[in-house]
Amino acid sequence: MTFADHNRGQAPIEQLLRQGAQALAEAGVENPRREARLLLQHALGLTAEQMLALSPRSEVDQACYLDWVARRTQHEPFAYITGQKGFWTLDLAVSSASLVPRGDTETLVSCVLDHFPDRDAPLSVLDLGTGTGCILLAVLSEYKQAWGMGVDISPQAAVLAAGNAARCGLGGRAAFIAGSWTDALAPEARFDLVLSNPPYIPTRDLAELMPEVRNHEPVRALDGGRDGLDAYRLLCTDLPARLTPDGLGVFEIGIGQEADLRALAAENHLDVAEVRPDFEGISRAVVMRHQPI
Ligand code: GLN
């Protein structure tokens, strides 16, 4: 008998929530009651309103929920379990092929909106290390005439991102390829926007990340090499040849990396147009452009 067979059947909501919250608390998951409620809601395929309308004594299917609780006690990220995550205004599919989109990363989208106020501009957009496609798709959703390309070293991530483009109704304006940074592009390809949330955690810090990140998210999307800056060295070296004359590079950075990024920009004859903090006040998005001639 498999685990799922064993747990087939129905049980009252209040019992399932108690049982789930206890298992999650014992595993050290934060907000165990809230997580149990959200896992049950998603496992039953209900909205928050539909869930609230049910009596705590209602009997509901338990197999999927108990399986999901067991996964969450292993600190698998909530979004991998439910298979979806909201980013900007979009509902995206997620998988372990890519990082779970983070709220901090929306800082890049708000930067783009301020630097390119004309929402009808036919922007060409390149997103390096696109993952779920979240940054590129959020930008395309705001600029109805824009077209973009997402690149990821992981073919599974490129497939995931392409599926997300279709899911968001943006499939006609986005293309995805599996490749290493800009290697797959024609040497003369230029873009109005080059976006990236590259791996930027120094290798020795990886062991200290939350278990959700450390044990479940792809290390290739996190590990920025010895000093965390390997990807930025490539991005900044490449950027001058990739940007149109008025183009912008918009990169996510980690805590304490602003000075290093400013130095890399200067070395590559780029200006830093802005460094924008996230909602916690941490410098999160760096905007670069060509130096005026
Ligand atoms: N912000 C992510 C984290 O700390 C790291 C993302 C990245 O390396 N690009 O979990």
Side-chain angles (χ1 to χ4, degrees):
M1 193 161 71
T2 66
F3 180 81
D5 289 333
H6 187 70
N7 289 301
R8 212 161 265 160
Q10 296 208 319
I13 287 183
E14 58 190 355
Q15 180 197 314
L16 290 174
L17 290 181
R18 210 172 330 111
Q19 199 180 331
Q22 190 182 341
L24 295 170
E26 279 166 14
V29 172
E30 279 178 39
N31 301 317
R33 288 157 60 92
R34 180 171 185 275
E35 288 244 358
R37 184 165 39 75
L38 289 172
L39 283 171
L40 184 59
Q41 179 197 315
H42 283 268
L44 298 175
L46 301 177
T47 64
E49 292 75 21
Q50 288 168 330
M51 178 87 177
L52 280 169
L54 292 175
S55 149
R57 301 216 170 82
S58 326
E59 301 256 335
V60 293
D61 289 337
Q62 62 177 356
C64 176
Y65 169 72
L66 292 177
D67 179 38
W68 285 8
V69 168
R71 286 169 65 182
R72 193 70 189 97
T73 63
Q74 301 301 306
H75 291 264
E76 184 171 345
F78 187 93
Y80 285 166
I81 297 173
T82 61
Q84 65 190 93
K85 177 77 183 179
F87 182 84
W88 200 248
T89 60
L90 310 174
D91 172 47
L92 300 176
V94 297
S95 81
S96 56
S98 150
L99 292 185
V100 175
R102 275 111 160 113
D104 295 341
T105 303
E106 294 177 355
T107 312
L108 275 68
V109 184
S110 68
C111 259
V112 170
L113 294 181
D114 289 345
H115 285 270
F116 288 101
D118 177 7
R119 302 293 182 90
D120 294 319
L123 299 175
S124 55
V125 188
L126 176 66
D127 182 17
L128 296 169
T130 196
T132 56
C134 61
I135 311 172
L136 174 63
L137 296 175
V139 167
L140 294 182
S141 75
E142 296 290 344
Y143 296 87
K144 304 294 182 211
Q145 311 297 325
W147 180 89
M149 171 170 284
V151 180
D152 204 286
I153 189 80
S154 156
Q156 291 86 351
V159 169
L160 177 70
N164 275 328
R167 178 178 172 127
C168 299
L170 297 166
R173 295 194 284 124
F176 296 90
I177 47 172
S180 179
W181 304 108
T182 56
D183 289 356
L185 304 181
E188 64 274 25
R190 301 274 181 283
F191 297 85
D192 299 311
L193 261 174
V194 177
L195 309 169
S196 186
N197 173 18
Y200 56 64
I201 313 278
T203 306
R204 67 174 176 285
D205 295 346
L206 291 170
E208 285 148 40
L209 297 173
M210 297 158 66
E212 276 76 358
V213 181
R214 183 179 75 223
N215 297 336
H216 296 276
E217 297 201 84
V219 68
R220 214 160 34 171
L222 297 164
D223 186 353
R226 199 182 49 78
D227 60 359
L229 301 172
D230 282 359
Y232 299 115
R233 277 187 275 271
L234 289 171
L235 288 169
C236 292
T237 309
D238 229 21
L239 193 60
R242 287 294 161 196
L243 287 181
T244 56
D246 295 319
L248 293 181
V250 184
F251 303 146
E252 177 165 328
I253 59 169
I255 296 176
Q257 292 180 322
E258 177 177 343
D260 294 317
L261 264 285
R262 286 186 181 278
L264 277 172
E267 270 171 41
N268 290 285
H269 311 288
L270 291 157
D271 270 353
V272 173
E274 186 188 352
V275 177
R276 185 172 293 211
D278 61 24
F279 283 117
E280 288 180 74
I282 296 165
S283 293
R284 189 58 71 187
V286 179
V287 182
M288 295 185 190
R289 63 182 169 211
H290 290 294
Q291 282 177 350
I293 325 160

